[in-house]
Amino acid sequence: MAAAATSAATTIPKPSAHLSSSSRSSISISRFTLPLSLNPQKTIPHRSLHISNAVSKPTTPAPSSSFSSSSSTSTTTRQESPPRFSPDEARKGADILVEALERQGVTDVFAYPGGASMEIHQALTRSPIIRNVLPRHEQGGVFAAEGYARASGKPGVCIATSGPGATNLVSGLADALLDSVPIVAITGQVPRRMIGTDAFQETPIVEVSRSITKHNYLVLDVDDIPRIVSEAFFLATSGRPGPVLIDVPKDIQQQLAVPNWNTPIKLPGYMSRLPKVPNDSHLEQIVRLIFESKKPVLYVGGGCLNSSEELRKFVELTGIPVASTLMGLGAFPVGHELSLQMLGMHGTVYANYSVDKSDLLLAFGVRFDDRVTGKLEAFASRAKIVHIDIDSAEIGKNKQPHVSVCADVNFALQGMNKILESRNAKSKLDFRAWREELNEQKSKYPLKYKTFGHAIPPQYAIQVLDELTNGNAIISTGVGQHQMWAAQFYKYKRPRQWLTSGGLGAMGFGLPAAVGAAVANPGAVVVDIDGDGSFIMNVQELATIRVENLPIKIMLLNNQHLGMVMQWEDRFYKANRAHTYLGDPSRESEIFPNMLKFAEACGIPAARVTRKEDLRMAIQNMLDTPGPYLLDVIVPHQEHVLPMIPSGGLLKM
């Protein structure tokens, strides 16, 4: 039985296979199916396996490659695992799979067992390298894998069983695709002979996930596991990163085989489409536009997270102010004098003003999302637009640029910085008048908020957290008002500090993402700034946090409502409440549910604060308490996220 999916130009070694695959639109894929009748499995001598439930883990994590929006030179660091088997000794497919993960540098996975994935979990107990952080729901597992990848730069790995286990990964896969996060999701599947029979816990997860993964595989030959795993990690981390799914039938997991670790990856079609190093003439053209402009502005997104050093150098050489997307926060320090903070629907007035008045918009690693542009025709209508992105499908998709370069932003910035240095740009470029104009806007329209007597403004809570952590914490969020306030009022200093569900807007993301971040960064301060609506969607992950003793701090901004939906009700539906109140209508004076009881049930210290004058001490106590902690911050529901440009609207000054 031959393997699963590869690119169109890929050589299929055993054409008598059932091929299932999917890919991003930029890569064409061939598909064919043949009957499910299977050839007899190879006869391999059985080897007895010793299974231990307690395996000591190394204190030093194994090395692993960090992902980047990279060019075709991207490679994955491999690590040789300790020899559990002699080279020519047969072992189960599940053991081959786990060893393949080890060889990719994987040290942590987020896996929830079930009938079709039991063999993988048994193999994990035999690994002296890989630690499984057991989530309490598969969605928690995939969001944790995302948090791990976003915070560390390494691909996150999650594992689930077939059927409902696999379908519980769907939101996380879609989220990773939209936000370009490299994860490898592995699912158990019913035995090959039962595929298509509506067997117990059978879902065609390859077909279900086809449009929300960068690529996926159905493994139909145990000998293909080493190659497929290598390809999956390469695909997830190269080019524009994204999620890759590997579906492994149970009989493949149980089949004995001798792995060939030297099988090369076979992705010629994909490799030919990876962006090359940018052409110097194109970069010269961009530099010429910079020298000709009077009011340039940088519009940077998630594609710049791996280019922070070169981006800072570019800004130092040019003096061009920087506006960031939600996904790009931290690529350039928010507290820098040239930072305009976030632009878009809930961006700063001065960031949106800069784009509206600019004569040159340098759009690096962005996709002109609707929450940034508003009415497309009016967005940067006075400016020449330069668009640099690693994904050719994004260039011209929403907004047609005047100059475009399909390349890794890091390589493009390196090239432009060399040109700028050779032309002594730092002394020749002078945008002081433009910066003064923007500084005037900063003075006139700063981010501000209302006060409510002794009540705690949610923005103030985030400001205090920023002060007490010196802007160094890793912040995860759910989705809603608290997410936007965390984007506005925490001063991110570096990339991978800010973990949020941007494109999909998946509530319930914050808590499990914090789990992944804490696993990837054991010494870091990790804070989940969450809302009561988002928090309760994956509240079961408190159990994981406690059992793993992860020092995650949860600052819950509790307004008893679905705050962002309520805000839209106030502004566009005459404040008619349509199921956005999350408390108990029969006891409106009480806080419901009592979040402290959830923490207590999991043995996590918790406290509630209701008065502004008590907040600073409460947050300091949260930060000083060893291990996990939940702080329930009661905030008024009347507060709105401002500024706000309505969807499809225009900036009005």
Side-chain angles (χ1 to χ4, degrees):
M1 260 51 62
T6 58
S7 303
T10 300
T11 303
I12 307 296
K14 301 179 184 178
S16 61
H18 172 84
L19 183 71
S20 294
S21 70
S22 78
S23 176
R24 296 297 296 269
S25 58
S26 58
I27 306 172
S28 59
I29 298 291
S30 63
R31 303 183 184 97
F32 61 90
T33 59
L34 286 175
L36 278 171
S37 58
L38 305 175
N39 294 326
Q41 297 181 4
K42 301 176 212 174
T43 303
I44 299 176
H46 178 72
R47 171 186 180 270
S48 61
L49 295 171
H50 173 70
I51 301 175
S52 171
N53 288 324
V55 182
S56 61
K57 303 296 179 188
T59 55
T60 304
S64 174
S65 64
S66 63
F67 80 85
S68 67
S69 299
S70 62
S71 70
S72 57
T73 59
S74 173
T75 58
T76 305
T77 301
R78 283 182 168 79
Q79 175 186 313
E80 295 296 331
S81 63
R84 297 191 293 283
F85 305 92
S86 62
D88 59 349
E89 186 176 6
R91 74 288 312 259
K92 286 186 175 184
D95 286 293
I96 297 172
L97 176 64
V98 169
E99 186 173 348
L101 294 177
E102 293 171 353
R103 287 168 175 263
Q104 294 297 324
V106 175
T107 56
D108 301 280
V109 298
F110 304 90
Y112 196 90
S117 63
M118 286 178 64
E119 290 285 353
I120 299 172
H121 282 262
Q122 290 295 313
L124 284 171
T125 68
R126 295 188 280 272
S127 171
I129 292 174
I130 298 177
R131 162 198 183 190
N132 180 37
V133 178
L134 178 67
R136 266 46 179 187
H137 190 288
E138 291 91 353
Q139 186 181 94
V142 68
F143 282 160
E146 272 199 89
Y148 183 97
R150 291 176 191 248
S152 70
K154 299 184 288 188
V157 180
C158 60
I159 303 173
T161 190
S162 63
T167 55
N168 280 339
L169 301 180
V170 165
S171 292
L173 295 173
D175 189 63
L177 185 73
L178 284 169
D179 287 353
S180 304
V181 179
I183 62 172
V184 175
I186 299 169
T187 52
Q189 183 56 276
V190 299
R192 287 172 294 177
R193 68 184 181 280
M194 298 174 71
I195 293 175
T197 67
D198 294 331
F200 177 67
Q201 290 193 333
E202 179 195 359
T203 54
I205 195 61
V206 166
E207 283 72 22
V208 169
S209 66
R210 192 180 303 281
S211 62
I212 54 169
T213 51
K214 185 177 178 182
H215 203 63
N216 61 26
Y217 294 90
L218 174 62
V219 182
L220 292 173
D221 189 331
V222 69
D223 292 333
D224 289 331
I225 290 175
R227 174 181 61 80
I228 286 174
V229 172
S230 294
E231 288 180 4
F233 277 81
F234 179 75
L235 289 165
T237 57
S238 60
R240 180 177 179 175
V244 178
L245 180 136
I246 305 173
D247 197 27
V248 190
K250 188 166 185 178
D251 59 325
I252 292 287
Q253 299 171 37
Q254 296 171 327
Q255 187 175 344
L256 296 173
V258 177
N260 178 4
W261 300 114
N262 298 316
T263 306
I265 64 174
K266 299 176 181 178
L267 299 167
Y270 176 80
M271 297 289 286
S272 68
R273 289 167 174 81
L274 283 173
K276 306 300 186 287
V277 175
N279 191 298
D280 284 346
S281 63
H282 294 153
L283 303 182
E284 292 270 6
Q285 186 180 4
I286 296 169
V287 171
R288 186 168 63 250
L289 288 174
I290 293 171
F291 273 89
E292 293 171 357
S293 68
K294 301 294 182 187
K295 296 183 176 184
V297 66
L298 273 158
Y299 157 36
V300 302
C304 291
L305 291 177
N306 297 315
S307 312
S308 181
E309 189 176 327
E310 292 296 331
L311 177 62
R312 292 189 199 195
K313 187 175 181 181
F314 181 86
V315 174
E316 288 172 8
L317 290 169
T318 62
I320 297 174
V322 182
S324 174
T325 68
L326 180 72
M327 291 301 301
L329 289 172
F332 187 77
V334 170
H336 194 282
E337 62 178 354
L338 289 178
S339 171
L340 300 170
Q341 296 179 251
M342 187 172 70
L343 80 165
M345 177 179 283
H346 294 295
T348 62
V349 170
Y350 37 91
N352 288 322
Y353 176 93
S354 72
V355 173
D356 187 55
K357 302 297 183 184
S358 68
D359 61 4
L360 177 64
L361 182 67
L362 301 170
F364 295 171
V366 298
R367 57 189 182 93
F368 292 87
D369 178 72
D370 62 289
R371 290 296 171 104
V372 166
T373 63
K375 188 176 181 181
L376 265 172
E377 298 78 16
F379 182 75
S381 58
R382 299 173 175 87
K384 291 179 180 176
I385 297 174
V386 174
H387 192 184
I388 302 178
D389 199 88
I390 201 164
D391 186 356
S392 60
E394 292 296 344
I395 295 175
K397 184 178 81 174
N398 294 327
K399 188 79 174 178
Q400 194 62 43
H402 296 82
V403 178
S404 64
V405 176
C406 181
D408 184 334
V409 173
N410 198 45
F411 291 155
L413 284 168
Q414 286 176 15
M416 286 187 289
N417 287 340
K418 287 180 183 177
I419 296 169
L420 289 164
E421 286 176 326
S422 69
R423 296 191 180 185
N424 200 19
K426 195 168 185 176
S427 60
K428 292 181 179 178
L429 292 173
D430 184 3
F431 300 121
R432 279 179 293 181
W434 172 229
R435 292 197 296 268
E436 286 171 7
E437 182 181 340
L438 295 178
N439 285 337
E440 184 180 341
Q441 293 297 314
K442 284 185 178 183
S443 298
K444 287 172 66 177
Y445 302 104
L447 287 172
K448 57 186 179 181
Y449 52 86
K450 298 176 185 176
T451 56
F452 300 87
H454 293 291
I456 301 170
Q459 304 95 324
Y460 174 69
I462 294 166
Q463 282 184 326
V464 172
L465 179 69
D466 177 56
E467 291 171 19
L468 294 179
T469 59
N470 195 28
N472 285 318
I474 295 173
I475 303 294
S476 68
T477 74
V479 170
Q481 287 180 317
H482 69 278
Q483 175 191 32
M484 294 298 105
W485 288 321
Q488 291 176 335
F489 288 92
Y490 199 93
K491 307 304 181 190
Y492 302 96
K493 295 180 176 180
R494 62 186 187 277
R496 310 205 179 284
Q497 246 190 298
W498 165 243
L499 319 176
T500 199
S501 174
L504 190 66
M507 292 176 68
F509 177 84
L511 190 62
V515 170
V519 170
N521 300 273
V525 177
V526 179
V527 182
D528 171 28
I529 300 176
D530 227 325
D532 47 316
S534 281
F535 175 71
I536 207 167
M537 284 197 172
N538 271 315
V539 70
Q540 76 283 339
E541 298 310 320
L542 288 174
T544 301
I545 291 169
R546 177 71 281 171
V547 169
E548 298 290 338
N549 198 30
L550 300 173
I552 294 167
K553 314 303 181 185
I554 303 153
M555 191 170 81
L556 195 60
L557 302 181
N558 189 346
N559 65 4
Q560 296 282 279
H561 287 76
L562 284 174
M564 188 61 82
V565 184
M566 179 194 64
Q567 177 171 328
W568 282 56
E569 287 175 339
D570 287 346
R571 291 180 172 264
F572 308 117
Y573 295 90
K574 300 179 180 178
N576 181 48
R577 293 288 174 261
H579 320 116
T580 50
Y581 176 60
L582 298 178
D584 183 349
S586 67
R587 296 181 292 168
E588 288 193 18
S589 62
E590 299 179 16
I591 302 299
F592 178 87
N594 186 345
M595 301 297 184
L596 306 184
K597 294 294 185 182
F598 287 128
E600 181 185 346
C602 293
I604 292 176
R608 176 176 293 154
V609 59
T610 60
R611 294 166 61 88
K612 185 178 180 181
E613 54 266 35
D614 300 328
L615 179 67
R616 183 175 293 271
M617 184 180 293
I619 293 178
Q620 187 64 65
N621 185 51
M622 173 185 76
L623 295 171
D624 290 343
T625 302
Y629 192 97
L630 185 148
L631 181 62
D632 191 16
V633 183
I634 307 303
V635 298
H637 72 272
Q638 295 90 346
E639 184 64 318
H640 285 188
V641 179
L642 297 173
M644 179 178 179
I645 301 173
S647 182
L650 299 169
L651 173 69
K652 296 178 182 178
M653 298 299 294

